[in-house]
Every structure is written in C-alpha cells, then in structure tokens.
Amino acid sequence: MNTSENAKINILPVPTWNHLRVNEAVYEGVRTVEEIFEGLEKVEISPTDETPVVYDFKADGSVKGVDFDLKINTDSTIILRFTADDNLYGERDVTVRIGSNIKEGRKLHLVIVNLTKNARFYAASDAVCEKESALTMTTVSLGSSKAYLEGKVKLQGESSNFDTYTAYILEKGQFLDMNYVADHTGKNTEANIVSAGVLNEKTQKVSRQTVNFIAGCAGSKGAENEEVLLLDDDVINKSAPLILCTEEDVEGEHGASIGQPDEDVIFYLKSRGLAIEKIYEMLSIAKVEAALSRIDHQETKKLVRDFLEIKEEEE
Amino acid sequence: MKEKTYIEDIDESIYDFRFEEDEEDILGRGIGADLIDEISKEKNDPEWMRAFRQKSLKIFHNTKMPQWGPSIEGLDMDRIVTYIRPKAKMRNKWEDVPEEVKQTFERLGIPQAERESLSGVGAQYDSEIVYHNLRSEVEKLGVVYTDLETAMKDERFSKMIESHFMKLIPPTDHKFAALHGAVWSGGSFVYVPEGVKVEVPLQSYFRLNAESAGQFEHTLIIIEKNSYLHFIEGCSAPKYYAASLHAGCVELYIGEGATLRYSTIENWSKNMYNLNSKRALVEKGGKVEWISGSFGSHVSYLYPTSVLNGEGSTSEFTGITFSGEGQDLDTGAKVIHNAPNTSSYMNTRSISKSGGRNTFRSEVIVKPQAKGSKSSVSCASLMLDSISNSDTIPVMDIRTKDADIGHEAKIGRISDDAVFYLMTRGLSEEEAKALIVSGFCENVSKELPVEYAVEMNNLIRMEMVGSIG
C-alpha cells in the first residue's frame, strides 16, 4: 500500500512545510480513519459519584480496542489502563476512542495509562466542555512500539478549562506521536497543554500542541509547554507548538526546552555522589512522577511504578 | 466599555505614484519556452544560462503550487509580464539615468541616502538594473558591486557566478524558485575579498513600476574569510488593481569568520504577491544577521534561511511584520544546524489590525552532526482588533542529544496596565498606545542604521496617533 493510501491521523490544524513531516501522522495498513475505529467494543461510562472509575483493557488479541462514551454529570475521575500480556509477541493494534461531553459546572479527570509493550496504540479523545466545566487529562505513555495520542477539546462554555499533562519515556526504537488541540470559543476559557518526556536510543517523538483562540473567546488564556530530555544521539525529536488567534483580548504563550539536562542540576547531583547514569534515570522518572502526582489513585501509581521497576516509597 | 485606539494602515501614498510604461517594452505575458528564449536573447545569456532557464521552466511546469500557506489564487500567471525591456542601459552616473526613472528614485530618497549614508547603491526599475555605483575608496579595496548580468560576462567573475548561481536555492526547491530560474532578470552581484570590512552599507532598491508585472531580480553576495558587509535592500511599487508578482532570489555565501548583515525594508503595494526566497550558507565561525521589516504586499511568503555549515557559525534573525486590511503575510525564518557548536537566534514581532492576517512560520533543524549547537526562538504577536488574525507555526526537528533548544511565543493585546501607567505620566490614551506599539517594534528598528530606523518608525507611526473609538 503506498503512503498516500494510508489513513492520516493527528492532523495539524494548520499545515506547514511538507518536508518537516509534521502535518499529520500516517497510520499504516488502514485506508481511512473510520476504518481504524471499526470493530471497537462500545463502553459507556457514567459516573454517579467522585469515586474513581477504573477500566482495565488487556491486549490479548481478542478485541482490538474500546470506543468509550463518557457521560459526565458529576465531578468524576475515570482511569483507563491499557496493558499487554507479557507473552504477547508481535505488533498488535490497541485502539481507543473517547468521546465526552462535560456538563455545566462539572469536572472530569481523565487518566490514560498506556503500558501495552509491543502494541501499536492509538488513543483519540474528543471532548466538549460546557459552561464552567473542566477537563483534566493525565496521560502516561510508556509502552507501545508505536503510540499515537490525540486530545481535542472544544472549550465552548464560558469559563471552561482544559488542563493536560502527558509524560513519556521512550526506549529501544519506540515511536510516539501526539496531537493536542484546544479550541477556545467560550469567553474566559483556559487551556494548559504540557508534555514532558525522555528520548533514549533510536526513539522518535512528534509533539503537536495547538491553542486556537476563535473570535468571541474574549478573556481566554492558553499556554503550551514542552520539556524533552534527549539522552542519546540517535533520537529524533519534532515539536510543533501552534498558537492560532482571531481574537484580540486573549493571552497565549508557549515555551519549550529541548536537549540535555540543565548543567547546574547535573553538577549539583554529581556533587551529591550520584553517577551520571543514575542522574539520568532520576530525571527521567521525575517526568513520570510529575504525572503520577496528579493521579489520586494508589493502585494506578503502583501499576506504573512496577512497569518502570521503581521502588514504591511511602507517600 | 473599553475604548480603542484606531491605528491606521501604513500610508502607502509616498510610494504610490507611477509613470506609464510603453507597451512595446513588454516582452510578453505568461511563461512559455519561446519567451524564455527571447529573454535569453535579449540579455545575451551565456549558453549555460540559456540551458539553465529552460531546465528551470520545465521544473516550474512540473511543480505543484504550495498547499500550506496563504491563498495565491488571485495570481494569474498567464497575465504576469515576466520581462520589460529597460528604458536605458545601466548607468554609473546618476545624471545619465533617464529622467522619469531618476524622478522615481529621487522621490523615494535613494540618491540622498547614497550621498549621506551608503558605500554604494544599485537601483532596479522593473526588470533591469538602471543604476549602480560604488564609492571609489570601497572599490579600491577590491569590493565588487555591480549588476549580475555585467558580472556574469566579466571573465573575472563568470566562473564564480556559474558555480554559485542558484546552488543554494535550486529551481527544484519550490515552484517559484523554478519560475525565478527561468525568468530572472536584474539584481546585484557583490564580492568582498578576504579581510575587507565594508564599514558603510551597500543598498539595492527595487522598484516595480509596470502593471501586472513580475520582478525576478537575483542577488548574489559572496564575502570571503574574515570580511564584513552590511547590505540593505528596499522594495516598493505603486498600487494597481491587477496582481503583481515579486519572486526574487537572494543567495549569500559567507566565508570563514566573515559577517554579513542583510537588512530588508519591504513595502510593496498591497496588490503584490511577494514570493521571495533568501538563503545564506555560513562557513566556519561566520555569521549571518537578517534584519527584516515586512509592511507591504497583499500576500507574502518570506522565510530567510540560514544553513550553518561551518563549525561555530551563527545566525541571527530579527523581524517585524505589520499586516493591515487585505494583507496575508506569512513570514518567518528557517535555520539548519549542519555543523558542531553552531548557534541561532530568532526574535520576531508581528502586529495585526483591520482584518490583516499574520503568520509566523519557522523551522529549526539540528542535524546529528551539529553537536553542541544552541537555538533560541522568541516570537511575540500583537492583536489590535478582533477581525484580524495572528498565527504562530514553529517547528523544531532535533536529531542530537547534545543540543540546547529553547522556544517561546506570546500573543496578546496592548496591556491595559501599561496604557494606564503611561496615562498617569501625562500621555493621552492614543499616545500611550502608539508608544507601546513603537516599543514593541524596537527589536528591529534598533538594528538598522539610524536613517533606516527613522524611516521604519515613520512607516509604523505615520498614522498611528489616530482617533479613539
């Protein structure tokens, strides 16, 4: 199948130069986006109280993935955990679609944990925020030979809020492609898009972040931030942080820091007797721990730490 | 209710005058192989150039229009006049230049600038250079500043030009680079020998007078080891209803330890499609400094590119774009870090008003061999109303761990607090806002020679103290 016949996902809202290859991700072996989502198990989640709802999906080859319909009428936390059998070899597809409508004044904390090892993982979240509602997203992506993460939010209700943090550690040829888009249409809306991670040997990462201020969203604010540690010479890091604006009364900002750890930090830690390998390990884990600190669910934290073989500490 | 200062579009009237061109001067419209041959014949091109034009034409026909930027649907390539015969041969004395051409440049203040603040001046009128002059003391240092066609036929430079012409921006780069390769005409050739520092700037001024015309000048600058040059280009055209096209090409070769500052104040009329290409190749320890002010044009695609090819080479880009009614200006810069310990810095400002559209687009590529490289990108955008657009589209592609890359972008409006503070110091609201906008543009104006900074500030401020409402 030639590349032009493959489905295009994670599309940058405004295209740029083609030679940079960030305008979209190519999802090989499938012709259309609709085809990617065919055959998913449909699951509706409608929390009734603030107790976290946990959904575990184990990639055993029997089901391709899940199409979640989240009905948010109360403040809630939904934790979606994707793991793979240790004995599962060969690339499998794990596909997740998440649709949510967050009702007026409600808050949803959506947690996605990807520990799917050899899988090709694709999680696409599409949310609409009504007046004074909030979507907090925390994503930890450690597994997968290839992972595609997409988070689109329409902040259409006045004073609605989107706050997302994605943490990743890529090793041994892993590939991660992300696309986060906040469309501000309501007045006084806020978005904060953050990703932080580490690239080790032969890994590749593409990050797209877009804050889109649409005329009428007066008083809105949007921020994007990215921190990437590059720990090997054969890595590829691509970042495309967009700010689109058709409204005068807004504040948008972006900051990125890509490369080696800060020299002062390294010097300090070395002076405390730590070897450089240990320092890199600590700094890598710190990115994930920052994500875990947002998740109020011990079992999920343990799952992630066990995956990373981190010794659990008293909290 | 908030009051707003109304900031007028830049006043183009000082540039908006024209003289009639003779129809027989127009070689032809559109782009065909016969016309390209006629241009070659008219210009007495060497054989390699004739073949190069034809090859470029084929590439042009086989290359798609860009799919990613502002719309260029209004550009009717079949109507564009690609070549206009010169009214006179190139002159080295101002008094020998034909009267109406002379009047044009005098109204633009070029001879006065030459007298007061430049080492040399080149002036292009439509398709050809009509005047070139270099101060004798600079010429004695071995500096060459002439039109490209003359240099191409000079045996001292012909091989140099053949080996450098469109090697940095090959016709395969994009559709309008191919068009340029086919129909280019005019432009400047500058050569600065090793160790020579040209303390006072050179300037080229490009004036497009004819309606529905294209200007395709080629600027080729080669500066040798440890030399220094500041080159300034200015552009303007009267306004017509039909679209005009500027698809020039600038290639800069910067030797070891040399520094080239390339400043542009672009104020094309607002029917102009400005699809210009600029690229610099910087050798070991060399430096390119781009200063760019974009004020005119209906549509712009403009991204000066620095290829940092030598260890320790540096690029600085400082730019400002002002987009008003009917303008869609897509500007920015590109840097390719191709060698160890290279560094790049981009600092841009954009202002959008009255439905104008600004896009800052950039790329920073750090190749695996560019260990120890550093890059910093900072862009700020100011929105003056809610019918305008301002987009920021930067991309970073980093392929070594040993790089230090920073990026920051900000978008917003004039701070109420800053206006309030200035008003407490006795300024009116409109003066306060005008002052803030001027300060916002300071990054570019402070980098220009004082005469040009004044001109640029005048462009911005001319109508800024307007009515509140």
Side-chain angles (χ1 to χ4, degrees):
Chain A
M1 189 182 281
N2 96 32
T3 316
S4 62
E5 292 172 325
N6 290 317
K8 290 174 179 171
I9 58 173
N10 284 4
I11 293 168
L12 201 65
V14 177
T16 188
W17 297 298
N18 294 318
H19 70 266
L20 296 169
R21 302 197 179 285
V22 295
N23 285 333
E24 70 271 320
V26 173
Y27 196 87
E28 288 175 353
V30 180
R31 285 170 193 271
T32 63
V33 175
E34 292 71 30
E35 214 179 303
I36 296 173
F37 296 120
E38 275 174 10
L40 301 183
E41 184 184 348
K42 292 197 182 301
V43 173
E44 185 181 303
I45 300 177
S46 183
T48 50
D49 58 35
E50 292 185 32
T51 311
V53 176
V54 179
Y55 185 96
D56 279 313
F57 180 91
K58 193 160 199 171
D60 58 7
S62 60
V63 182
K64 181 178 152 191
V66 191
D67 188 349
F68 291 100
D69 182 8
L70 310 183
K71 306 245 183 258
I72 309 303
N73 294 305
T74 182
D75 291 356
S76 44
T77 298
I78 297 175
I79 301 173
L80 309 177
R81 306 190 302 203
F82 302 87
T83 55
D85 196 314
D86 279 345
N87 299 318
L88 187 69
Y89 293 102
E91 193 175 271
R92 300 286 176 111
D93 283 345
V94 175
T95 309
V96 188
R97 182 158 66 180
I98 306 157
S100 49
N101 190 333
I102 304 160
K103 299 289 181 195
E104 186 174 332
R106 299 304 175 201
K107 291 180 181 139
L108 167 65
H109 186 188
L110 176 64
V111 177
I112 300 170
V113 176
N114 168 30
L115 308 173
T116 55
K117 297 189 177 172
N118 291 322
R120 175 169 70 168
F121 182 79
Y122 176 31
S125 164
D126 216 327
V128 175
C129 287
E130 295 185 6
K131 188 178 177 186
E132 291 171 358
S133 69
L135 171 63
T136 302
M137 263 179 93
T138 304
T139 306
V140 178
S141 187
L142 302 172
S144 305
S145 56
K146 288 181 182 169
Y148 302 90
L149 306 174
E150 184 158 50
K152 291 182 176 175
V153 178
K154 285 188 173 55
L155 296 168
Q156 63 186 35
E158 188 171 342
S159 301
S160 54
N161 186 291
F162 175 51
D163 173 13
T164 178
Y165 185 100
T166 303
Y168 55 89
I169 298 174
L170 302 186
E171 291 176 325
K172 295 175 188 160
Q174 285 181 313
F175 171 82
L176 171 64
D177 190 289
M178 297 178 278
N179 188 34
Y180 289 95
V181 182
D183 287 329
H184 296 254
T185 51
K187 288 188 194 312
N188 302 315
T189 51
E190 282 193 37
N192 188 32
I193 301 173
V194 180
S195 70
V198 184
L199 271 60
N200 292 287
E201 52 182 314
K202 293 186 172 61
T203 55
Q204 201 179 138
K205 181 230 82 186
V206 180
S207 168
R208 304 175 193 81
Q209 300 176 324
T210 304
V211 168
N212 185 12
F213 296 113
I214 296 161
C217 72
S220 294
K221 293 178 182 176
E224 301 162 342
N225 195 277
E226 197 185 7
E227 284 178 30
V228 193
L229 276 186
L230 306 178
L231 296 184
D232 277 301
D233 262 333
D234 47 9
V235 298
I236 299 177
N237 174 80
K238 295 186 184 184
S239 306
L242 274 57
I243 301 178
L244 312 176
C245 185
T246 48
E247 168 60 48
E248 174 201 9
D249 183 13
V250 294
E251 288 175 33
E253 59 180 44
H254 166 79
S257 171
I258 301 163
Q260 287 273 291
D262 185 83
E263 279 178 17
D264 292 341
V265 172
I266 297 280
F267 178 78
Y268 173 76
L269 293 172
K270 273 186 170 176
S271 73
R272 313 316 279 176
L274 292 172
I276 190 74
E277 293 77 15
K278 185 67 188 168
I279 294 170
Y280 285 160
E281 188 189 321
M282 279 174 58
L283 293 173
S284 302
I285 288 169
K287 309 278 182 207
V288 177
E289 285 292 341
L292 296 183
S293 70
R294 294 159 56 100
I295 305 170
D296 191 14
H297 193 256
Q298 291 307 315
E299 191 199 325
T300 299
K301 291 182 182 186
K302 184 173 184 316
L303 184 74
V304 172
R305 287 175 182 144
D306 286 350
F307 188 90
L308 287 172
E309 297 173 349
I310 305 169
K311 202 176 157 194
E312 195 92 21
E313 286 176 18
E314 292 282 326
E315 292 202 27
Chain B
M1 189 175 160
K2 285 173 190 161
E3 288 184 320
K4 291 178 182 173
T5 290
Y6 181 70
I7 296 174
E8 291 285 357
D9 283 342
I10 287 165
D11 184 355
E12 299 272 351
S13 59
I14 56 168
Y15 303 98
D16 196 10
F17 60 91
R18 64 170 298 228
F19 297 99
E20 291 296 322
E21 72 279 1
D22 302 324
E23 194 59 30
E24 60 266 28
D25 291 338
I26 294 171
L27 203 59
R29 290 178 194 273
I31 302 133
D34 293 349
L35 179 66
I36 305 306
D37 263 341
E38 263 196 85
I39 294 173
S40 271
K41 214 179 290 172
E42 188 85 19
K43 301 171 89 63
N44 197 18
D45 278 342
E47 181 50 31
W48 70 267
M49 180 56 77
R50 198 201 61 75
F52 186 89
R53 286 184 189 277
Q54 290 296 344
K55 188 179 127 196
S56 300
L57 181 69
K58 281 185 189 148
I59 296 168
F60 171 77
H61 286 309
N62 291 328
T63 308
K64 285 181 186 166
M65 285 282 192
Q67 302 295 311
W68 43 266
S71 169
I72 45 178
E73 280 178 5
L75 185 63
D76 182 356
M77 293 303 299
D78 294 331
R79 273 198 53 75
I80 292 290
V81 177
T82 43
Y83 185 77
I84 300 166
R85 287 189 186 92
K87 291 188 180 299
K89 285 187 175 172
M90 204 264 289
R91 306 289 181 180
N92 298 113
K93 284 187 180 167
W94 187 244
E95 52 269 30
D96 295 340
V97 173
E99 194 53 35
E100 65 185 48
V101 175
K102 203 157 63 178
Q103 272 183 43
T104 301
F105 287 108
E106 272 170 1
R107 287 177 71 170
L108 294 167
I110 305 304
Q112 186 192 353
E114 181 185 5
R115 282 192 300 273
E116 292 173 2
S117 54
L118 298 169
S119 286
V121 156
Q124 176 154 343
Y125 191 83
D126 289 334
S127 297
E128 293 290 5
I129 290 283
V130 292
Y131 174 70
H132 244 294
N133 193 27
L134 182 65
R135 283 188 188 175
S136 59
E137 62 267 32
V138 179
E139 202 171 358
K140 279 179 195 155
L141 296 171
V143 175
V144 178
Y145 180 34
T146 184
D147 66 298
L148 194 56
E149 279 103 341
T150 302
M152 199 163 56
K153 288 163 198 155
D154 184 326
E155 60 181 21
R156 291 174 299 165
F157 309 113
S158 56
K159 288 285 174 211
M160 189 188 281
I161 290 170
E162 190 176 348
S163 63
H164 288 82
F165 182 84
M166 292 202 81
K167 293 292 189 288
L168 264 183
I169 307 174
T172 47
D173 211 60
H174 56 84
K175 191 170 182 73
F176 292 92
L179 175 66
H180 178 91
V183 303
W184 77 273
S185 178
S188 298
F189 171 69
V190 181
Y191 176 77
V192 182
E194 184 175 337
V196 171
K197 299 196 189 308
V198 184
E199 304 289 352
V200 184
L202 301 179
Q203 186 188 18
S204 276
Y205 198 95
F206 303 103
R207 174 73 178 176
L208 185 57
N209 182 67
E211 187 171 9
S212 271
Q215 194 167 61
F216 307 96
E217 85 288 350
H218 194 97
T219 302
L220 176 61
I221 300 179
I222 300 169
I223 69 167
E224 301 282 12
K225 198 172 171 180
N226 298 325
S227 58
Y228 176 84
L229 175 69
H230 183 185
F231 191 88
I232 301 171
E233 66 169 14
C235 337
S236 72
K239 185 169 183 179
Y240 296 104
Y241 290 104
S244 299
L245 170 65
H246 176 231
C249 209
V250 174
E251 295 184 291
L252 312 177
Y253 292 87
I254 298 162
E256 265 187 51
T259 298
L260 174 52
R261 172 171 278 218
Y262 196 94
S263 303
T264 306
I265 300 291
E266 179 269 298
N267 194 24
W268 292 115
S269 60
K270 290 180 184 172
N271 59 321
M272 179 67 82
Y273 286 79
N274 182 31
L275 313 175
N276 211 8
S277 303
K278 298 178 178 182
R279 201 162 293 173
L281 182 74
V282 192
E283 300 295 352
K284 187 177 176 183
K287 185 176 188 183
V288 62
E289 300 170 345
W290 301 98
I291 314 293
S292 180
S294 295
F295 300 94
S297 302
H298 169 53
V299 166
S300 260
Y301 281 67
L302 183 62
Y303 325 97
T305 302
S306 307
V307 182
L308 302 176
N309 226 29
E311 185 168 355
S313 53
T314 306
S315 160
E316 283 184 16
F317 177 85
T318 308
I320 184 155
T321 306
F322 191 113
S323 182
E325 186 181 357
Q327 290 184 280
D328 191 345
L329 308 184
D330 200 302
T331 60
K334 301 182 189 181
V335 184
I336 297 152
H337 291 257
N338 216 13
N341 302 316
T342 48
S343 57
S344 65
Y345 178 62
M346 282 185 216
N347 183 11
T348 69
R349 300 280 186 275
S350 65
I351 300 166
S352 309
K353 68 169 290 282
S354 304
R357 190 182 178 100
N358 260 312
T359 302
F360 167 75
R361 195 182 295 270
S362 70
E363 74 175 44
V364 173
I365 295 177
V366 181
K367 297 277 186 76
Q369 65 271 25
K371 297 187 191 320
S373 293
K374 293 181 178 179
S375 175
S376 170
V377 178
S378 169
C379 56
S381 307
L382 197 56
M383 290 277 288
L384 297 183
D385 55 46
S386 275
I387 55 168
S388 302
N389 266 58
S390 185
D391 294 345
T392 305
I393 310 175
V395 176
M396 291 156 274
D397 181 338
I398 315 303
R399 297 182 182 224
T400 174
K401 68 172 182 178
D402 193 6
D404 186 356
I405 311 300
H407 180 275
E408 58 176 36
K410 275 187 182 175
I411 193 159
R413 63 189 190 118
I414 293 177
S415 152
D416 289 339
D417 290 346
V419 173
F420 177 76
Y421 171 78
L422 290 170
M423 288 172 74
T424 65
R425 316 313 283 176
L427 272 67
S428 69
E429 184 182 347
E430 62 192 24
E431 286 168 340
K433 288 187 173 177
L435 187 65
I436 290 166
V437 173
S438 277
F440 183 74
C441 307
E442 198 203 357
N443 70 322
V444 174
S445 58
K446 76 180 182 190
E447 296 295 338
L448 287 169
V450 67
E451 300 78 6
Y452 296 89
V454 168
E455 185 189 337
M456 199 194 85
N457 278 334
N458 283 343
L459 275 172
I460 294 165
R461 263 195 299 210
M462 207 176 282
E463 301 292 337
M464 247 176 38
V465 183
S467 58
I468 302 238

